[in-house]
Amino acid sequence: MPVATKRDYYEVLGVSRDASPEDIKRAYRQAAMKYHPDRGGGPDNEALFKEAAEAYEVLSDTEKRNRYDRYGHSGLNGAGVHDFSHMRPDDIFSIFGDIFGDIFGGGGRGGRDARGIDLQTELYISLVDAARDTEKQIEFTRNDYCDHCAGKGAEPGTKVTACSTCGGYGQVERTTGMGFFSTRVVTMCPDCRGRGSTFTKACRECRGSGRVPRHRVVTVKVPAGIHDGQAIRLRGEGEPAEGGSSRGDLHCYVRVEPHPFLQRHGNDLVCDVPISFTQAALGAKIEVPTLTGKAEVTIPPGTQNGEMMRLARMGMPDIRSRRVGDQIIRILIEIPRKLSKKQQELLREFAKTEDNSVLPESKGFLDRLKEFFSTRDAG
């Protein structure tokens, strides 16, 4: 299946590569208004909306933009670019608060009932772990309430008053348009930035933001049968909203590391097992790897290259039904590249004894070949 190629970020926003920060911001605002899902439009609007958000996040950040200009999309690995494809529009609002507050209202960081910010991380597990219910600890850093000021942003003991601009609500209203086409828009208060209060001295720990980076360790319950790339949502483990107590969620994307012998196909596991041509001809007993250790498999005489053998219920469990798949052994017959003189003599002796009657595939091929040339020569 072909891998989708990301479009150039400058092309997404419709700006030149030497565009100024203001040009980029203006272009993003226009794209956001055009493709926002709430404004209707075609079925692809939400994807285009998220694509524009990703482009703006990179091009509005000097360091990320420099990396992108030098190395393209591959240069952004590990640069902390959000995966907007898995976000809701509200989550994007939380990241670009001021811009969306101005355009759509009520969707930015401000507002006492605003939803917190979602975070995302990755968890790497083995295929063996993916086959059973397991628990893993993950560590991450999130912006959390400052303990020194209880998230208020003011130095304890400092006089805190209700914001005169918004009257303590953290939001202000304005009307756009005229008459029948007028619209009431609620945006974050520009003076208190959604807190609803102002103070004379900022907190010495958080410098007035009310937030500090905090290391956190949580346990993730990974269900048996999970696939690579699937996400587990940890509710309330994201960051708190400005001026509100609601927290976002943490989206933990599971990455299943490749197994040295087993490849997953749905809920089945496929293992390629090489055997010698003498083992294939005479039959043999061999050991094959499984998720739980070794298993002995009997190779019947006359086994052909590519034949498959099935070990029932030794695959992966279905994440929903818990029904376990099978392990499939695919036989690969190896032909030696070098033979000793003695081996060559033995094989020549054997070749003299070969009978096409016991080689149905060869006999059938030779018969068809003979008939083909006879018909062609007769014509």
Side-chain angles (χ1 to χ4, degrees):
M1 182 177 179
V3 177
T5 303
K6 287 189 176 182
R7 286 204 296 159
D8 179 79
Y9 288 143
Y10 292 99
E11 177 188 343
V12 170
L13 296 183
V15 296
S16 63
R17 303 191 76 84
D18 59 353
S20 68
E22 282 303 315
D23 290 337
I24 291 171
K25 184 175 182 179
R26 188 181 306 110
Y28 175 53
R29 286 167 62 95
Q30 293 172 352
M33 287 189 290
K34 180 178 180 181
Y35 297 121
H36 189 273
D38 289 349
R39 292 176 174 255
D44 297 332
N45 270 20
E46 184 170 340
L48 294 170
F49 176 76
K50 294 176 178 180
E51 182 184 46
E54 180 178 328
Y56 177 71
E57 182 185 35
V58 172
L59 299 185
S60 64
D61 183 287
T62 302
E63 182 180 350
K64 292 176 184 176
R65 183 178 180 181
N66 287 337
R67 290 177 64 167
Y68 177 71
D69 287 344
R70 293 184 65 184
Y71 307 110
H73 292 290
S74 61
L76 298 173
N77 294 334
V81 179
H82 289 82
D83 184 1
F84 291 98
S85 63
H86 295 282
M87 289 187 182
R88 300 175 303 179
D90 286 348
D91 299 331
I92 300 175
F93 287 157
S94 299
I95 296 173
F96 304 123
D98 293 344
I99 292 180
F100 284 112
D102 290 344
I103 298 175
F104 304 108
R109 297 180 185 267
R112 296 182 180 273
D113 297 325
R115 188 179 180 278
I117 301 171
D118 284 356
L119 301 176
Q120 63 184 44
T121 187
E122 290 184 327
L123 171 64
Y124 288 83
I125 63 173
S126 66
L127 186 64
V128 174
D129 285 335
R132 61 193 179 193
D133 290 326
T134 186
E135 293 185 355
K136 296 289 184 180
Q137 283 192 333
I138 57 173
E139 301 182 25
F140 63 100
T141 300
R142 71 182 183 190
N143 287 324
D144 217 333
Y145 291 114
C146 173
D147 291 334
H148 185 67
C149 67
K152 296 178 180 178
E155 181 68 23
T158 300
K159 183 179 179 181
V160 179
T161 59
C163 175
S164 59
T165 301
C166 64
Y169 288 100
Q171 297 176 330
V172 293
E173 296 182 8
R174 61 187 177 89
T175 301
T176 61
M178 297 178 63
F180 179 78
F181 297 99
S182 63
T183 304
R184 184 177 65 89
V185 179
V186 180
T187 63
M188 180 180 64
C189 176
D191 292 337
C192 68
R193 298 192 61 78
R195 294 191 187 92
S197 60
T198 57
F199 43 81
T200 57
K201 185 177 181 182
C203 171
R204 68 172 184 268
E205 296 293 333
C206 65
R207 298 182 180 179
S209 68
R211 306 288 184 270
V212 291
R214 184 163 293 150
H215 182 74
R216 185 160 177 78
V217 180
V218 298
T219 298
V220 181
K221 293 183 178 180
V222 183
I226 195 165
H227 286 260
D228 180 71
Q230 284 188 305
I232 301 172
R233 175 178 290 191
L234 282 70
R235 297 190 180 278
E237 289 295 341
E239 296 181 354
E242 291 281 357
S245 58
S246 172
R247 288 185 179 276
D249 301 328
L250 174 66
H251 300 267
C252 180
Y253 291 89
V254 176
R255 302 300 178 189
V256 181
E257 296 174 325
H259 191 278
F261 298 105
L262 306 175
Q263 295 181 348
R264 184 172 184 175
H265 292 265
N267 292 326
D268 290 336
L269 296 174
V270 177
C271 179
D272 289 335
V273 178
I275 63 173
S276 68
F277 73 97
T278 53
Q279 287 178 310
L282 301 175
K285 288 187 176 181
I286 62 173
E287 289 185 334
V288 298
T290 70
L291 285 175
T292 56
K294 298 177 182 177
E296 187 175 75
V297 174
T298 299
I299 304 296
T303 295
Q304 301 298 305
N305 184 63
E307 281 192 17
M308 297 186 183
M309 307 174 65
R310 190 175 293 269
L311 303 180
R313 295 181 58 80
M314 295 191 70
M316 298 291 291
D318 186 89
I319 195 171
R320 294 183 178 85
S321 68
R322 296 287 177 152
R323 182 178 178 180
V324 180
D326 301 331
Q327 178 169 326
I328 299 169
I329 308 300
R330 183 163 55 192
I331 300 300
L332 303 178
I333 300 176
E334 287 192 307
I335 306 299
R337 294 182 180 276
K338 293 183 179 181
L339 295 173
S340 67
K341 193 172 183 180
K342 178 66 175 177
Q343 290 171 326
Q344 292 180 30
E345 291 174 356
L346 290 172
L347 283 177
R348 288 193 180 98
E349 288 297 320
F350 173 74
K352 294 177 182 178
T353 67
E354 284 185 319
D355 184 352
N356 285 341
S357 64
V358 298
L359 299 173
E361 291 295 331
S362 298
K363 184 177 185 303
F365 173 77
L366 293 174
D367 289 344
R368 292 196 308 273
L369 187 65
K370 182 178 179 181
E371 181 182 357
F372 171 76
F373 281 112
S374 298
T375 303
R376 191 184 67 171
D377 292 342

